[in-house]
Amino acid sequence: MTEYGLQLYSLRDVTDKDLEGALRAVSEIGYKAVEFAGFFGHPAEEVHSWLEKYHLCPIGTHTGLQPLLDDFDGTVAYHKAIECYNLIIPGHDLSTREKLDTFIDQVNELQPRLAAEGITLMYHNHSHEFFPNKDGLLIHNELVRRTNLLFEIDTYWAFAAGQDPVQLVKRLKDRVRLIHLKDGAGGHEGRWLGKGSAPVAKVRRLALKLGLAMIVESEGLRPSGIEEAAGCFEYLKTLED
């Protein structure tokens, strides 16, 4: 069967209280990788031991820009200790030209420093990056044009912004490294994979064709994060050839 990762924000009703239990559940469902959304005070050595125990690959972390600015060395050391080499900025306030310019300057300075440490810097979109900001700039276009950032394309948020996520990934394929598989009814209403209107099956086919790693994110917690993550995994099984 095709291997999938899970963005642990999907299990945020568990992770802050029992990160190890969340990792165990992810493994039991059948996911092979995890993308972290916080470590909740756990030392890197402990997290690494859990990853080994449950045979999970740390495919990436959602880490904001500020930890890199405040403690670059510590952030790098943590990632190396858990053997995670993809650091993904999960979004940022880029609502004005000034904020966008500052961010671009910062990531253009940080990216080669991270690369020298063996860590790839990426940006994860929501929907707002595809609309003009307060100064009329299309944020995602500016990031593509003015940085060398790689991208984790959240295909549902692109869809919710009126983009065709399949065409978006095709257009940016040399800059895309990870795909978020997500579904929803449009806007901010997320749903289990296969229960919304996003083109999940088409995105999956393209990701397989391009050799892109796929990470499930399901944000509804209905009835719980673990049950929703399991339901998404069962849906993906139905797409196997």
Side-chain angles (χ1 to χ4, degrees), residues 37-78:
F39 298 102
F40 310 100
H42 294 286
E45 294 74 18
E46 186 174 40
V47 172
H48 184 257
S49 71
W50 293 336
L51 291 167
E52 289 193 326
K53 181 177 181 180
Y54 300 114
H55 309 289
L56 291 168
C57 169
I59 199 165
T61 73
H62 273 199
T63 299
L65 179 66
Q66 204 59 47
L68 285 169
L69 299 176
D70 292 345
D71 185 10
F72 178 89
D73 291 340
T75 302
V76 167
Y78 198 106

